Amino acid sequence: MSLNTLQNKIAQKSALVSVIGLGYVGLPVACEFARMGFNVIGVELQSERVDKINQGISPIEGNEPGLEDLLAGVISSGRLHATGDYQELKQCDVVLIDVETPVDENNIPRYAALQSALRNLGPVLKKGALVIVESTIAPGTMYGTVLPLLEESSGGQLNRDFYLGNCPERVMPGKLLQNLDSLSRVVGGMTEETANTMILLYRNVVQADLDPVDCVTAELVKTVENAYRDVQIAFANEVALICEAVGGDVWKVRELVNKSPYRQMHLPGAGVGGHCIPKDPWLLAYGVQGKDVPLRIIPAARAVNESMPGHVVQLLGEALASANRTLAGAKILVMGYTYLEDSDDTRNSPSARLVDLLQAQGAEAVVHDPYVAGYQGDLLQMAQGCDAAVVMVRHSEYRDLDLSSLSKALRSPILVDGRRLFDQSYLNKNGLVIREIGRGVPKP
Ligand code: SAJ
């Protein structure tokens, strides 16, 4: 099949689309193409997820506006079907790959899922099919890993037997469908015609800019945009530490700095979690591994952000000391375990790091999170007998918390606010010993 034929099938929506990996990214993507009238086959290794999806039940917890209803609709209409069997992809004209691309403890990318998907896809790849990697990958991965592996596993040749591109996703838990439709995408094609064919496909779903580029540019844009965010957050965190040391309030400083033109100081906080920001800077860095490119800012920003849960423990120790308590033997209420407010996503959660650090100091952590099974429950009840509380996530339900009730429930009325959840004046009048990231103890 030529690209021209594929373009016609896409225009007629008769192209059979498949999505490999039905997670936070792949499932909404599959649903959106099905919603737009394509027949979509979703491939997912976890059989329980396959079963749930084929029953029209989303395996993604948390508040994802529209996803549950959309999934039920496209399953009942037969537009979307999930499977664990790659054999079902034999007739697919377009294959989107949305598998995880984590980094390991040495910050080296682990492409096992991507490699497995490519090895399984090759033997069943339809002649003339278009394969698009949507996962975030290090610069150079398309040419260095994806292309050789797909040619080997399919026995085919690029631009003769299959076409190849990458179109990094820009989704965010809580806005999966909204981001898919409304955010621009860079569309990296191995050839210009491939990029144009990809744009024809994505125009069905994306209402924003679709920018045709080469594959290396697409790999760079995605990893750079998240490394940029990580550096910005690290800067805000470092300013927070300065404000604590000199008796300032980083939130006031940030508000006034951002009044200066072209400033956009990010939010300091108790740490940086999620599936994107902690790993994408390392994917970017990996793109120059072995090359003489000294990276100083990107690793330093990662170190600052990774240190923030430890800083929360330090603030906690100081607050306990003021009540003649130590961390050893203390029971600490950890408010929030997900990496982002009002989501169930706990990947790379700063709270997980905090719990490890507390336990290393001989403290016991009592974790509360309204979105995470096993951590749900009555917060004030869980606060009973705890020596202090730590705000790690800005869940909406915490904002209405009656601090005086919390103060009474705690054994010692200590609160460390890692996300500036509460207003200072509100904090003061509730008899709590407060420490906050970014707010210094005002000089007497
Ligand atoms: N965080 C801060 N300070 C900030 C912003 C975030 O400490 O100013 C923390 C959050 O608490 C969280 C982590 O960083 O723990 C990540 O937060 P995030 O808002 O960046 O959320 P993510 O990880 O879902 O980021 C995704 C990214 N999108 C993609 O990779 C496609 C990111 O590029 C987007 O900027 C972000 O969504 C978004 O806001 O849409």
Side-chain angles (χ1 to χ4, degrees):
M1 171 174 59
S2 70
L3 271 181
N4 189 45
T5 306
L6 180 56
Q7 290 169 6
N8 292 335
K9 294 188 80 172
I10 290 171
Q12 293 154 16
K13 297 190 181 179
S14 60
L16 183 56
V17 176
S18 66
V19 178
I20 300 176
L22 297 181
Y24 280 92
V25 180
L27 182 61
V29 167
C31 288
E32 280 295 278
F33 278 105
R35 180 172 69 87
M36 296 316 292
F38 288 91
N39 285 317
V40 182
I41 299 175
V43 175
E44 169 57 52
L45 287 185
Q46 297 178 46
S47 55
E48 65 279 6
R49 284 179 83 96
V50 171
D51 296 341
K52 275 187 99 170
I53 289 165
N54 284 333
Q55 292 161 35
I57 302 166
S58 170
I60 297 174
E61 305 292 334
N63 178 25
E64 286 300 344
L67 183 60
E68 193 81 42
D69 293 344
L70 173 58
L71 173 60
V74 293
I75 290 290
S76 62
S77 69
R79 286 280 183 202
L80 173 62
H81 163 70
T83 179
D85 181 4
Y86 275 83
Q87 291 300 320
E88 295 195 36
L89 302 190
K90 281 187 170 168
Q91 293 312 314
C92 287
D93 302 299
V94 175
V95 183
L96 306 179
I97 300 179
D98 284 293
V99 297
E100 62 163 9
T101 51
V103 294
D104 66 14
E105 63 283 357
N106 299 314
N107 302 315
I108 302 295
R110 281 293 167 256
Y111 288 147
L114 179 61
Q115 289 161 334
S116 169
L118 292 164
R119 285 197 186 96
N120 285 307
L121 173 65
V124 300
L125 190 60
K126 179 179 178 181
K127 193 167 174 57
L130 168 58
V131 179
I132 302 171
V133 175
E134 293 198 326
S135 307
T136 304
I137 50 181
T141 303
M142 287 300 287
Y143 279 99
T145 300
V146 176
L147 174 55
L149 218 166
L150 195 54
E151 286 193 328
E152 179 197 342
S153 64
S154 67
Q157 189 183 323
L158 176 68
N159 300 328
R160 186 195 69 189
D161 303 308
F162 64 84
Y163 303 95
L164 188 59
N166 63 312
C167 183
E169 44 78 16
R170 280 180 169 155
V171 295
M172 175 182 185
K175 306 183 206 168
L176 293 179
L177 289 181
Q178 174 197 328
N179 278 15
L180 264 182
D181 301 349
S182 61
L183 291 191
S184 65
R185 306 272 296 258
V186 279
V187 180
M190 283 290 184
T191 67
E192 194 175 336
E193 195 187 4
T194 300
N196 292 333
T197 305
M198 293 165 67
I199 286 174
L200 203 57
L201 174 75
Y202 282 104
R203 185 48 73 209
N204 286 285
V205 171
V206 179
Q207 312 313 319
D209 288 353
L210 290 168
D211 299 303
V213 295
D214 63 84
C215 286
V216 173
T217 301
E219 291 167 329
L220 282 166
V221 167
K222 172 63 192 217
T223 49
V224 166
E225 75 187 30
N226 281 349
Y228 167 85
R229 187 165 176 81
D230 197 50
V231 167
Q232 291 292 336
I233 296 168
F235 178 79
N237 283 331
E238 193 147 282
V239 171
L241 300 181
I242 293 169
C243 288
E244 284 177 27
V246 301
D249 173 3
V250 72
W251 299 89
K252 190 65 178 170
V253 167
R254 173 180 178 270
E255 176 198 334
L256 299 176
V257 160
N258 286 348
K259 285 190 173 181
S260 173
Y262 321 119
R263 300 314 188 272
Q264 194 203 359
M265 190 169 149
H266 281 33
L267 305 172
V272 174
H275 55 301
C276 303
I277 308 302
K279 85 171 162 74
D280 292 358
W282 294 123
L283 289 176
L284 176 58
Y286 187 72
V288 292
Q289 194 177 56
K291 296 174 169 54
D292 185 16
V293 179
L295 300 183
R296 291 182 286 271
I297 293 176
I298 291 169
R302 282 280 71 232
V304 168
N305 290 335
E306 288 298 295
S307 76
M308 294 313 286
H311 185 63
V312 170
V313 172
Q314 183 189 326
L315 293 178
L316 197 51
E318 290 168 7
L320 283 166
S322 67
N324 298 317
R325 296 296 314 266
T326 61
L327 274 167
K331 203 171 171 185
I332 308 298
L333 176 65
V334 177
M335 294 169 58
Y337 196 76
T338 58
Y339 85 88
L340 205 62
E341 55 270 16
D342 301 336
S343 158
D344 74 317
D345 197 336
T346 61
R347 285 175 289 182
N348 295 311
S349 157
S351 301
R353 174 96 178 106
L354 176 85
V355 169
D356 289 346
L357 292 170
L358 288 174
Q359 287 168 347
Q361 299 268 351
E364 178 190 349
V366 176
V367 178
H368 178 271
D369 193 302
Y371 289 92
V372 181
Y375 293 146
Q376 293 152 327
D378 181 301
L379 182 74
L380 293 178
Q381 204 157 16
M382 291 169 83
Q384 300 286 342
C386 288
D387 298 294
V390 181
V391 176
M392 290 295 285
V393 184
R394 288 174 64 88
H395 286 316
S396 301
E397 84 165 45
Y398 291 155
R399 291 192 198 130
D400 308 326
L401 183 62
D402 172 7
L403 282 182
S404 60
S405 305
L406 178 67
S407 177
K408 290 187 187 91
L410 293 168
R411 258 203 306 239
S412 34
I414 292 172
L415 181 102
V416 173
D417 191 346
R419 296 287 180 193
R420 184 54 60 86
L421 178 65
F422 298 109
D423 177 74
Q424 174 68 19
S425 56
Y426 179 45
L427 284 170
N428 282 340
K429 69 185 180 198
N430 284 284
L432 282 158
V433 172
I434 306 292
R435 290 306 307 272
E436 292 178 72
I437 282 184
R439 186 192 290 273
V441 179
K443 302 297 179 211

